[in-house]
Amino acid sequence: MKFSRHVNLIPQAILDTFNYKHTFTPLPQNVGKIYIIGSGSSYSQAIYTQQLIKKYLDIPVFYDNPYSFVRNTNLTEKDVVIHVTQEAKRNDNICPIEYANNCGVHTILFTSRDTELSRKCNEVYWFAPEFEKYLLLQ
């Protein structure tokens, strides 16, 4: 998609995001830690999500990039992994979810596409990518 077309679609993506009705599932009881994973332009959303959760919940929460997360994190079954991705199909999207699944961890995916990865997660929620950039420019 040409960048100019992408920019032209952003206002509708904002409306779609605000109008979309999610039914969020409560977090599992006795959550140990929450890990927010994102890469590329989704990394900023991972950081922001981590800050929001840290502000409102009394649960240890961390953000990381996919490969550092897989290499350096020791998950327990009480942990939750939230992955933010636009495409939900590249290796940097697949690896963290597969790692979390292998550890028996509850997984949540925020994405703009329905892919094979969506079916590997316990919960999947839709979001319009990069709309926060447009809101900041207004």
Side-chain angles (χ1 to χ4, degrees):
M1 176 185 312
K2 288 186 176 181
F3 185 72
S4 61
R5 183 164 185 263
H6 172 76
V7 170
N8 290 334
L9 294 175
I10 290 176
Q12 186 60 49
I14 293 169
L15 291 173
D16 291 346
T17 299
F18 287 131
N19 291 327
Y20 194 89
K21 302 296 182 210
H22 284 288
T23 303
F24 290 102
T25 303
L27 287 171
Q29 291 190 351
N30 301 321
V31 170
K33 297 176 186 140
I34 299 174
Y35 294 91
I36 316 292
I37 311 304
S39 63
S41 58
S42 296
Y43 191 67
S44 61
Q45 282 120 350
I47 295 170
Y48 183 66
T49 303
Q50 184 265 355
Q51 291 172 345
L52 282 175
I53 292 173
K54 189 174 184 177
K55 182 176 181 177
Y56 293 106
L57 297 179
D58 190 28
I59 300 171
V61 59
F62 308 91
Y63 66 88
D64 207 344
N65 70 69
Y67 298 115
S68 292
F69 168 74
V70 170
R71 288 189 69 115
N72 301 315
T73 306
N74 294 315
L75 296 174
T76 70
E77 290 184 4
K78 289 186 175 185
D79 296 334
V80 172
V81 171
I82 300 173
H83 189 75
V84 183
T85 174
Q86 294 176 37
E87 296 182 13
K89 63 181 182 180
R90 293 189 328 247
N91 195 45
D92 61 340
N93 305 138
I94 296 166
C95 287
I97 295 300
E98 286 184 347
Y99 172 63
N101 286 341
N102 289 339
C103 294
V105 172
H106 190 83
T107 55
I108 301 170
L109 181 67
F110 283 88
T111 184
S112 61
R113 295 197 168 94
D114 182 26
T115 66
E116 176 102 7
L117 186 62
S118 305
R119 291 172 280 292
K120 293 182 178 186
C121 296
N122 299 107
E123 301 174 47
V124 179
Y125 300 103
W126 182 84
F127 84 107
E130 301 189 64
F131 71 85
E132 80 284 354
K133 294 174 187 173
Y134 181 82
L135 293 174
L136 291 172
L137 296 173
Q138 296 305 308

